[in-house]
Amino acid sequence: MDVTLHLAQDPEADALLGRSPLAALVGMLLDQQIPMEWAFKGPATIAQRLGRDDLDAHEIAVHDPEAFAALLSQKPAVHRYPGSMAKRIQQLCQYLVEHYDGDAEAVWKDAATGKDLLKRLAELPGFGKQKAQIFLALLGKQLGVQPTGWREAAGSYGEPKSFRSVADITGPESLAKVRAHKQEMKAAAKAAKATGK
């Protein structure tokens, strides 16, 4: 895995996401309740604070939980909720160590079908169905991981040029389109709630 992603809108952070399967997974895990660029810059910030040039699932899995939470809480914090996200990242890394010998790429490397890959992603701590579908779409659209039926398994996120999620962000222009789509979805949900539908 060595591609250029544009999710953090920061060259160093994006380079790490493009070469490190674990960094990409951690960025996706962090991508909730904060701006996307902040989430995907998180893995590079964590690696830097650990004094590393990449993340290591084995190291994070056994890191002292309080010290790891403190590391994420340093200013600027890695997430709006650094303590709970530190716990989730450690749970993800512990799961990867237990089930994939710490190799994040093994989650998708030998997946036979998109359905199989979606199941594996949805089993990861912190990944519900929607997050798993978005990451599956990112793998298929930008990282060349395309098992049979991957688009169908990714649902609407797998549609070409759908601009629904991080899977479609390749630069500032597509980022603006994804943001606009998310704002439309929020407005529609708010309107539906207001009318009681």
Side-chain angles (χ1 to χ4, degrees):
M1 191 168 126
D2 194 9
V3 298
T4 302
L5 293 177
H6 301 279
L7 306 179
Q9 302 289 302
D10 172 283
E12 217 171 282
D14 282 329
L16 177 61
L17 295 169
R19 73 172 186 271
S20 170
L22 180 56
L25 275 178
V26 169
M28 190 73 225
L29 181 66
L30 290 169
D31 188 22
Q32 58 190 42
Q33 299 179 310
I34 60 171
M36 183 206 67
E37 301 94 319
W38 183 8
F40 283 97
K41 192 172 180 177
T45 303
I46 295 167
Q48 182 184 32
R49 290 178 185 173
L50 287 169
R52 308 278 185 266
D53 62 1
D54 195 357
L55 300 179
D56 181 298
H58 293 277
E59 179 184 8
I60 293 171
V62 298
H63 206 285
D64 174 78
E66 284 184 25
F68 193 64
L71 185 118
L72 268 71
S73 299
Q74 288 174 27
K75 301 286 184 219
V78 170
H79 195 275
R80 180 180 291 160
Y81 304 107
S84 62
M85 292 314 284
K87 188 176 179 181
R88 285 187 179 185
I89 292 168
Q90 286 197 285
Q91 288 169 339
L92 172 64
C93 289
Q94 289 158 358
Y95 183 90
L96 291 172
V97 167
E98 190 180 327
H99 297 271
Y100 296 99
D101 196 29
D103 179 8
E105 191 174 16
V107 174
W108 56 83
K109 201 170 8 187
D110 63 350
T113 65
K115 194 174 177 182
D116 177 38
L117 178 49
L118 180 63
K119 181 179 179 287
R120 291 181 187 193
L121 290 168
E123 288 170 348
L124 296 173
F127 278 66
K129 184 181 179 190
Q130 184 181 34
K131 195 174 280 282
Q133 285 185 311
I134 292 169
F135 195 77
L136 173 53
L138 177 66
L139 287 170
K141 290 179 175 184
Q142 297 199 45
L143 299 172
V145 178
Q146 302 177 337
T148 305
W150 72 270
R151 281 193 192 275
E152 294 75 12
S156 59
Y157 301 106
E159 294 170 9
K161 295 185 173 133
S162 59
F163 300 107
R164 284 186 168 87
S165 71
V166 298
D168 292 292
I169 296 172
T170 55
E173 190 180 311
S174 50
L175 170 62
K177 288 180 182 178
V178 170
R179 277 236 162 83
H181 175 77
K182 287 187 174 191
Q183 287 169 345
E184 284 173 30
M185 294 293 100
K186 278 184 184 172
K190 196 174 181 181
K193 192 176 180 183
T195 58
K197 289 183 181 175

